[in-house]
Amino acid sequence: MESSLVRELLHYSQQPDILSLAGGLPDEKYMPSYPAIEALEVSQQYGPSEGEGRLRHQIAEIVKERGVAVEDNQVLVTNGSQQALDLVSRIVLDENSIILTEQPTYLAAIQVFELQGAQIKDVRSDEFGLVPDALRRAIEEYQPKAVYLIPNFQNPAGHCYSKRRRVEIAALLDEKGVLLIEDDPYFDLCYEDVDRTPITHYLETAPWVYMGSFSKVLWPGMRTGYVVSCEALVPYLVKIKQAADLHTNRLGQLMISEYLVSGAYPEHIKKLRRVYAQKRDAMARAIDVNLSGLVSYSLPAGGMFFWVKLPSGVFSDRVLRQALERKVLVLPSLPFFANASELSDGYLRLSFARVSEEDVSNAISILADVIKEIMDESL
């Protein structure tokens, strides 16, 4: 069992004197107030394992708007999308399984897959997403149980799949009959005009699960996410949810459902997009001013993260340690690689969501000093 580096570092980010660019934490200043709920006692008793009926219907409507046509019975409310990952993994993976992922990929997904004993084989990706020819070769070589993808504002690399990639990957999964596990927690945090249609939308015959979360856009402390799936997987997901925790917190489900009913959600999303886009641009300016010619990155069209390539010979773990001495917290790259090499330690994931524009500028300035000092020491 491996611990999550993000969770290990979280106690640093809670300290008021630390400028944290590490965790993917939303900015609490822009979280809406909790809705007033008249009948709180409705949440006092045990509830259905599948989730509250009204919220399941609302989720079904949300994913339909994204292009994934489902009925309410295909929706399972979970304790964040992280639990959805865990439940799906328990169903399809064991010590004899292979799962394919992007390179790099979400570090907590690696943690879940390895906990089931599965082997993770990464597949080459570029700025348009996972490369279809590389995926075909990996499927034919490894005969995987599933492919795990984050097409929208990938964590950590930040890229958004092109429509062509989405269609090509869907056709390949249909041809090979491989399960798609599609993770989409950042769908609403979009700052540019890019295609976000789930790959699931384009599937015709391959099995699939599609996961989302309210944590990045509402209240992460509520731990409310969801998984929708093809009909064949529904009864298995419900049974394993029953075994895992009976059901998700009913009060949290009720509060999110009430907020969705209020009609305030669309305007809230517009505000988040505006605020986070400004923070993203502030981070880009700070990197360009302080680290021009030393690091490289692609401007993310959405999400919460920059994936910054460090200068040759500068390793992210050392940057983490030396930056933390100066009260700046960053996330090194090694945990995002299931099959790490020395080259895997040459990036930083920087989150702009929770810090102010002024603090972004200050943190990047300090980070630049650290990187330059490490480079000088290596000469």
Side-chain angles (χ1 to χ4, degrees):
M1 296 179 66
E2 297 290 338
S3 61
S4 167
L5 182 62
V6 173
R7 307 307 300 175
E8 296 286 330
L9 295 175
L10 188 61
H11 71 279
Y12 288 111
S13 65
Q14 306 284 357
Q15 297 174 17
D17 61 337
I18 294 289
L19 294 176
S20 177
L21 308 179
L25 278 66
D27 192 334
E28 50 267 41
K29 293 193 296 292
Y30 299 99
M31 292 179 190
S33 300
Y34 287 148
I37 299 176
E38 297 284 337
L40 282 175
E41 62 272 8
V42 74
S43 66
Q44 292 176 344
Q45 188 53 272
Y46 287 114
S49 296
E50 296 87 345
E52 300 300 303
R54 185 174 71 172
L55 181 58
R56 293 174 72 204
H57 177 73
Q58 291 165 324
I59 292 169
E61 293 301 306
I62 287 171
V63 298
K64 283 177 187 176
E65 290 178 4
R66 297 179 183 181
V68 182
V70 296
E71 301 299 328
D72 294 3
N73 72 295
Q74 293 172 262
V75 177
L76 182 70
V77 183
T78 58
N79 284 297
S81 58
Q82 184 67 23
Q83 188 190 40
L85 259 181
D86 179 55
L87 298 180
V88 174
S89 297
R90 294 195 208 188
I91 292 172
V92 301
L93 300 178
D94 57 31
E95 65 275 7
N96 299 312
S97 302
I98 291 177
I99 185 168
L100 304 181
T101 71
E102 299 149 310
Q103 177 182 286
T105 192
Y106 176 43
L107 78 176
I110 294 174
Q111 187 181 24
V112 169
F113 301 151
E114 290 182 340
L115 189 60
Q116 297 304 313
Q119 292 185 59
I120 303 171
K121 301 294 184 181
D122 41 48
V123 181
R124 184 167 62 89
S125 305
D126 61 20
E127 69 272 22
F128 303 111
L130 188 137
V131 176
D133 288 343
L135 177 60
R136 176 180 292 277
R137 289 192 297 270
I139 290 175
E140 292 174 351
E141 179 178 357
Y142 298 118
Q143 300 298 305
K145 285 286 188 71
V147 176
Y148 170 71
L149 302 178
I150 314 167
N152 290 325
F153 321 124
Q154 200 260 2
N155 181 7
H159 55 243
C160 188
Y161 283 36
S162 67
K163 180 178 179 179
R164 179 176 177 179
R165 279 289 166 87
R166 296 169 191 264
V167 172
E168 290 176 341
I169 290 171
L172 179 56
L173 296 176
D174 278 337
E175 176 190 337
K176 300 295 186 180
V178 177
L179 170 68
L180 170 64
I181 303 173
E182 184 167 10
D183 201 353
D184 201 4
Y186 306 106
F187 181 92
D188 286 321
L189 299 182
C190 179
Y191 321 127
E192 309 289 345
D193 184 16
V194 291
D195 186 85
R196 292 171 289 155
T197 307
I199 294 175
T200 299
H201 168 80
Y202 299 108
L203 292 177
E204 296 182 0
T205 58
W208 56 270
V209 294
Y210 175 84
M211 297 174 294
S213 175
F214 295 104
S215 292
K216 302 303 183 186
V217 293
L218 288 176
W219 310 289
M222 289 293 182
R223 304 304 303 127
T224 306
Y226 55 86
V227 56
V228 298
S229 70
C230 59
E231 289 277 7
L233 289 175
V234 169
Y236 300 101
L237 285 167
V238 173
K239 289 175 183 176
I240 203 159
K241 173 68 172 174
Q242 292 169 351
D245 64 358
L246 302 184
H247 63 78
T248 297
N249 180 293
R250 295 190 74 192
L251 179 58
Q253 293 185 67
L254 178 62
M255 295 182 75
I256 287 174
S257 183
E258 283 288 314
Y259 186 75
L260 295 176
V261 166
S262 74
Y265 188 65
E267 285 302 315
H268 171 64
I269 295 300
K270 288 180 182 178
K271 180 174 71 175
L272 284 185
R273 288 176 176 169
R274 182 177 67 253
V275 169
Y276 285 167
Q278 291 170 351
K279 293 187 179 193
R280 176 202 65 170
D281 293 345
M283 180 169 280
R285 287 194 299 271
I287 294 173
D288 291 343
V289 167
N290 294 281
L291 286 163
S292 178
L294 297 179
V295 304
S296 60
Y297 69 91
S298 294
L299 187 71
M304 293 181 165
F305 310 112
F306 279 69
W307 185 240
V308 177
K309 190 177 190 309
L310 293 168
S312 177
V314 176
F315 299 108
S316 64
D317 186 64
R318 184 175 178 186
V319 174
L320 162 67
R321 288 184 277 109
Q322 293 189 204
L324 189 54
E325 292 174 0
R326 303 186 189 188
K327 306 297 185 180
V328 171
L329 184 62
V330 297
L331 201 61
S333 54
L334 272 177
F336 295 98
F337 292 87
N339 304 293
S341 66
E342 184 175 291
L343 294 176
S344 307
D345 197 19
Y347 301 84
L348 295 174
R349 194 195 74 174
L350 306 178
S351 175
F352 53 83
R354 197 184 184 202
V355 286
S356 68
E357 293 182 38
E358 180 181 0
D359 284 344
V360 163
S361 179
N362 292 336
I364 295 297
S365 177
I366 293 170
L367 185 62
D369 289 341
V370 169
I371 291 172
K372 291 171 184 175
E373 287 176 12
I374 294 173
M375 292 178 67
D376 290 342
E377 291 168 7
S378 63
L379 294 177

